[in-house]
Structures are given as C-alpha cells and as structure tokens.
C-alpha cells in the first residue's frame, strides 16, 4: 500500500489543531473535503485515527503513532523536493547553519574565494533545530553543539570549550574564581536537563518548577538577570552575550562542550567536502578578559 503524502499532510493538520474546521482553514480547503480525505486515509490504513464527539476531537493510539511517524516522513519529502530542485538548477547556494557563539567569518570568506559563483547563506539555529535544518533541507551543513541525535548524520569534530554557570550579577556565587556543579544543586536550571546531563545526577529534593519556553539565548539571559534561575553555557556563548547584569563563573567538574560539523550521511556534495576542510581552523571565541 502506498501512503498518499497529501492525505498525511491533511492528517497532521487535524492532529495538531484537534479541530476539523481550524485544520480546513489552515489547509485552505473545505471542511467536508478534509473529512472525506481523513476517512479515506483511515480506510487505507485499516485504523481509526480520531475519536470525534460534539465537544472534542482526540487522537486514538493509532493516530498518535501515525503523527509520530508522519512528521519526519513529510519533512524528508520536503527536503527531497528541495534537493532535487537544487540539483536541477545546479548548485547556486550553499547554506551553513550555526549555533550561537560560533563565528564563521573566516571559513565563509575562504569558501567564497574558492567558489565565487556560489551564494553562501548562513542560518542561525538553536538547540531545538540545529539538526532539523539538515533533515528538512534548509541547510547543507550545520555546526552543532553536542549532544545531538546523530542518526543519519556524518560528524566531524571541530573543537571543545569550557562550560560556565551563568548567574545573576547579585548571586551568592558571583565573583567566585570557580565552582562545581554541586554548588548549584538548589538552583532552578533554565534549560532542558538533556542539555546538561550532569544536572540529573545532582542529589536534591524533587521539584516541579516548570522550565519556561525559551527559544533563544537572549530570552534565557533575561530570565537569569531577573533572578528566575541559572543557565550553563559554553564559554564562547558567554563571551558573545556578555552583559553587566549577569556573571559567568567557570565550572571545574564539567566536561567541555563539543562542537562539530554535521551533514547528512547521504550527501556527497563536493561543496560539503570543501567546507569540511575549511572548518578545521575554526576555534572558539575568547572569553572576556583573555
């Protein structure tokens, strides 16, 4: 059985909205058409995808599974279309994604010198999408901060840099020459613990303080400055976003943050190999005062 990608897109819209009317508006189609397409998909898959009542639309277990599988499939299909279209036109652009604190200027200039006919674009990413931009075709390469999901990727290590605790300027530990992660056990971490795996090992009382949805370093630092918690960042990020109402204190017992160049393992572009060679000279930004 072949799965119709159009029906999958319709399904994802309904699954995300949990409302057929809103999903139809989002897709710019009539609601009866959308309902027929969802019924046809359920018939093809032999499974009910939604529980519908007068008050609510909910995903069934089969629907939840399909949603998990459909999103990466649609992303891959969109990336395929982008890459085929680019191949048909010829390689006119090369997009480099990068995480905050990473400086690309020297590598970009060297690349442009070697390939003057290629337009080089840069794309700033976050922890949430530094890998996704490769899978969905928005970037040819991505300079990432580990840990990441490395499936289907090729990685080339670049460098390592220390991690620092970012605290409010008036914090009790401000001004210390260095601290250990255990000194922060009573603090509220303003990032997902997956970004700081050592945080999970700290002995402390269970807490249920929510982690705010912070989409950028700037937002994170605003919360730190306001005394709402602390963050742990690589030294180059702390250097780049230096400000007077926060302070950065070295952490002596954390392994360094690892920076790597990543690209899809299936890509064989000579432009990628050129950029791999050029990034061997990348180094972290020096912290303030060095």
């Amino acid at each position: 059985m072949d799965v119709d990608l159009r029906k999958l897109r319709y399904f994802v819209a309904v699954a995300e909205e949990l409302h057929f009317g809103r999903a139809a508006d989002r897709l710019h189609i009539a609601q009866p058409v959308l309902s027929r397409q969802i019924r046809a998909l359920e018939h093809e898959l032999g499974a009910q995808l939604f529980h519908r009542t007068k008050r609510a639309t909910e995903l069934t277990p089969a629907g939840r599974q399909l949603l998990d599988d459909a999103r990466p499939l649609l992303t891959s299909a969109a990336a395929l279309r982008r890459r085929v279209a680019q191949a048909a036109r010829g390689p006119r652009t090369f997009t480099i994604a990068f995480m905050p604190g990473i400086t690309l200027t020297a590598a970009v200039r060297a690349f442009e010198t070697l390939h003057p006919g290629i337009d080089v674009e840069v794309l700033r990413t976050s922890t949430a999408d530094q890998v996704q931009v490769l899978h969905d075709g928005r970037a040819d390469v991505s300079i990432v901060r580990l840990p990441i999901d490395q499936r289907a990727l090729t990685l080339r290590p670049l460098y390592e840099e220390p991690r620092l605790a970012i605290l409010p300027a008036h914090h009790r530990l401000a001004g210390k020459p260095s601290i250990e992660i255990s000194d922060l056990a009573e603090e509220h971490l303003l990032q997902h613990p997956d970004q700081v795996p050592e945080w999970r090992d700290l002995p402390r009382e269970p807490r249920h303080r929510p982690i705010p949805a912070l989409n950028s370093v700037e937002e994170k630092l605003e919360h730190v400055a306001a005394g709402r918690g602390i963050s742990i960042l690589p030294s180059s990020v702390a250097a780049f976003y230096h400000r007077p109402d926060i302070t950065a204190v070295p952490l002596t017992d954390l392994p360094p943050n690892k920076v790597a160049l990543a690209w899809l393992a299936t890509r064989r572009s000579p432009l990628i190999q050129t950029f791999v060679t050029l990034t061997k000279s990348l180094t972290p930004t020096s912290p303030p005062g060095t």
Side-chain angles (χ1 to χ4, degrees):
M1 179 195 69
D2 295 327
V3 178
D4 186 334
L5 292 180
R6 182 185 61 178
K7 290 191 183 75
L8 280 185
R9 285 193 292 272
Y10 290 175
F11 163 76
V12 169
V14 178
E16 291 177 346
E17 298 290 345
L18 290 179
H19 190 281
F20 276 75
R22 289 194 299 268
D25 290 341
R26 170 174 153 182
L27 295 165
H28 305 293
I29 62 174
Q31 183 174 336
V33 173
L34 177 59
S35 297
R36 286 197 299 272
Q37 292 294 316
I38 295 300
R39 285 196 299 270
L41 180 61
E42 289 177 324
H43 177 74
E44 291 170 7
L45 296 175
Q48 183 179 356
L49 302 174
F50 296 99
H51 288 305
R52 298 179 67 179
T53 67
K54 292 182 178 180
R55 294 185 176 182
T57 298
E58 298 177 348
L59 284 165
T60 65
R64 288 192 293 271
Q65 182 62 58
L66 181 59
L67 182 60
D68 289 342
D69 292 336
R71 281 170 168 158
L73 182 60
L74 291 174
T75 296
S76 296
L80 182 148
R81 286 194 295 270
R82 288 192 187 102
R83 288 195 290 269
V84 170
Q86 185 181 59
R89 295 192 306 267
R92 298 179 181 176
T93 62
F94 187 77
T95 302
I96 305 160
F98 66 100
M99 285 286 284
I102 294 170
T103 302
L104 301 174
T105 308
V108 169
R109 285 178 176 170
F111 185 91
E112 289 176 328
T113 299
L114 292 172
H115 299 283
I118 302 297
D119 293 328
V120 179
E121 299 179 354
V122 293
L123 175 64
R124 184 181 182 275
T125 59
S126 66
T127 302
D129 66 355
Q130 61 176 334
V131 170
Q132 185 64 26
V133 295
L134 295 173
H135 292 299
D136 66 20
R138 283 181 286 160
D140 295 284
V141 296
S142 183
I143 301 181
V144 299
R145 294 189 181 277
L146 304 183
I148 62 169
D149 183 351
Q150 300 184 24
R151 288 176 294 180
L153 300 179
T154 298
L155 264 66
R156 175 66 58 87
L158 295 178
Y159 59 82
E160 299 179 350
E161 55 179 315
R163 288 187 286 171
L164 310 177
I166 311 301
L167 314 171
H170 55 76
H171 194 276
R172 59 186 174 83
L173 298 174
K176 294 277 188 181
S178 64
I179 58 175
E180 296 182 351
I181 186 70
S182 58
D183 295 324
L184 302 171
E186 299 304 315
E187 304 293 336
H188 180 45
L189 184 67
L190 292 170
Q191 60 204 107
H192 196 283
D194 285 350
Q195 299 173 37
V196 190
E198 300 84 0
W199 190 259
R200 300 184 187 278
D201 299 328
L202 290 179
R204 58 187 186 276
E205 293 298 321
R207 296 182 183 84
H208 300 287
R209 295 178 64 183
I211 300 172
L214 305 177
N215 298 315
S216 68
V217 176
E218 294 89 344
E219 291 174 349
K220 197 176 298 181
L221 296 184
E222 285 296 329
H223 280 261
V224 171
R228 296 170 185 156
I230 62 100
S231 187
I232 295 174
L233 298 177
S235 59
S236 64
V237 180
F240 193 83
Y241 291 95
H242 182 65
R243 46 189 284 179
D245 52 0
I246 61 175
T247 187
V249 181
L251 286 157
T252 59
D253 58 344
L254 287 191
N257 175 243
K258 296 181 179 181
V259 176
L261 179 65
W263 65 96
L264 290 181
T266 55
R267 296 292 303 278
R268 298 291 183 266
S269 168
L271 296 179
I272 292 177
Q273 295 308 312
T274 297
F275 193 74
V276 169
T277 300
L278 295 175
T279 54
K280 290 178 180 177
S281 61
L282 281 181
T283 58
T285 303
S286 297
T290 62

